[in-house]
Amino acid sequence: MSKKRIPILVAILVLLSLATNLLNPSAVAYGAVPAKPALARDELVYRPAKNIRVTTLAGTGSHGNTNGESASFNLPYALAGTSARLYVADTYNNLIREVKKNGTNLVAGDIIDYDSYRFPKGYYRDGGANIALFNRPNGLVVNGKGQVFITDSGNNAIRVQESGMVYTLAGGEAGFVDGSYEKARFNGPSAVAIDRFGNLYVADTLNHCIRKVFPNNSVNTIAGIPGKPGFADARSNRAMFNSPMGIAVSQDGLTVYVADTGNHRIRVIENGAVRTLAGSTTKKDADGDPLGGYADGPGKSAMFNLPFGLSYVDGALVVADSGNNRIRAVTPGGEVVTLAGSGEPGSVDGRAKQAAFHLPKGVFVTDNVVYIADTGNNQIRRMPLDMDIFER
C-alpha cells in the first residue's frame, strides 16, 4: 500500500470532511496488555426481524439550511442525543442542528459567506452559540450533562457546545501532538465517542490514529502509528489504520470499535491490542490500495465498502456502510448482517431490504430506533431496531 496517498474514494470523503484520564480505573496505557479480556466472542446470535420499515424523519432532500417542518440539510454526517432531541452535525452547512417533534432548529453555528458552488464557507470562532463558527463539523456525542462534543474536522479541533456557548476543548491546528488540551494537535478528526467516565475517543483520520481525550486535561494516542496509513493487527502502538472515520466505545471504556474506512474493516481495540472484528479485502486498485466489497457472513469473510459511522448497542454494532448504501450490524463474534438498504443509491422508504440510501455516513441508536444521517440524500432517516433479533 502506498504510504503517501489515501485511496481515491477515501480521499473524496476526507476532502468532503475538510472541502487518557488518570481518574478512570479502566484506562489502558499505549501498548500495554491487561490480563482480563473485555469482550465475549459468542454472546449474541442474529435472528432476522420481519416487517421493519425505513421512514424519513427530516429533510426535503435538497441542499439547504432551512428549519421547521420543511427542513433542509447540506450533507449531514453524524447524529447524537435522544429520540426527543436529536442533534445533527450538518457538515456542509457548518452548523449543529436539532430535530424535535415540532421540526428542526439551529443549535450552534452561523453562515457568513458562500463559495462559488453556493456551499457555506467554514470558519473558526468560539463564543455564543449563535455567532460561533465551524469548519466541516464531522462527528458529535452528548454526555449526561447535556454537553455536546463536536469534532470540528476542518479546524482540527474538539469543540464543546453547552449553555448557549461554544468553546474549544482541545486542538485547533493541524498536526500530531499528545499532551495537554492546549498543546494537543489533531489532523482532520472525524468521529467521537464517550464512555461513562467522560473520556472521549477520537478517530483522528488524517493522522491514522485513535486518540483519547481525558477529563484531566490530557490527550493520548491509544492505537495507530501517527502519520502512517496501512493495515496491521498488533499491539496498539504497532497497529496500523487507514483513514479511520468512525468510532464507538463500550460504556466501561474497555473496548473501542473503529470503522477503519480505508481498510474497509471494523477493528477492535482492547487489552492493549488491535484486532479485526469483521471485514476483509480481496482486490486492490492500480496503486495497490484495498478495494471494498459487499458480503454478509462471519468475521473476515464479510466485506464492507467504506464503513463510516458506528453505534454500539447491547453488545452489537450498527454500521453505516457508506459505499454499499446499506445499514449493517455486527455481533460481538463478528457476524455481519444487513439491516436495511437494497444497495442501490437513492431515497426510498419502505421495507428495510427494499429501502434505498445514498452514501449514509452516520448512525445513532437510542430507544430501539436507528437514526441515519443519509448524507447523499440530505435527509435524516429512521428505522426500528428490535434487539430480539440478537438472541442469546
Side-chain angles (χ1 to χ4, degrees), residues 20-27 141-150 158-160 167 169-170 181 192-202 211-220 249-254 256:
T20 313
N21 180 2
L22 296 178
L23 299 177
N24 179 356
S26 69
V141 69
V142 184
N143 69 8
K145 299 178 182 179
Q147 294 174 302
V148 184
F149 298 89
I150 302 153
I158 311 303
R159 314 280 293 279
V160 183
Y167 61 91
L169 180 69
Y181 292 168
V192 61
I194 193 169
D195 65 22
R196 64 185 175 90
F197 302 103
N199 299 304
L200 298 174
Y201 301 78
V202 178
R211 315 284 292 279
K212 189 172 183 178
V213 181
F214 295 89
N216 69 347
N217 188 29
S218 65
V219 177
N220 283 348
V249 63
S250 60
Q251 281 296 295
D252 58 14
L254 292 175
V256 181

Side-chain angles (χ1 to χ4, degrees), residues 4-19:
K4 296 183 179 180
R5 64 183 299 278
I6 303 171
I8 293 174
L9 287 175
V10 178
I12 292 171
L13 293 177
V14 173
L15 289 173
L16 285 175
S17 300
L18 298 176

Side-chain angles (χ1 to χ4, degrees), residues 59-60 64 128 157 181 204 249 271 286 325:
T60 62
Y181 292 168
D204 193 4
V249 63
N271 307 314
N325 302 301

Side-chain angles (χ1 to χ4, degrees), residues 9 42 45 79 109 131 136 144 177 189 201 225 233 303 360:
L9 287 175
D42 56 357
V45 176
L79 306 164
I131 64 169
R136 306 299 184 248
V177 179
Y201 301 78
I225 302 175
D233 283 338
M303 299 183 74

Side-chain angles (χ1 to χ4, degrees), residues 28 77 81 91 157 163 224 241 257 299 329 352:
V28 177
Y77 268 49
T91 302
S163 304
F241 299 89
Y257 302 91

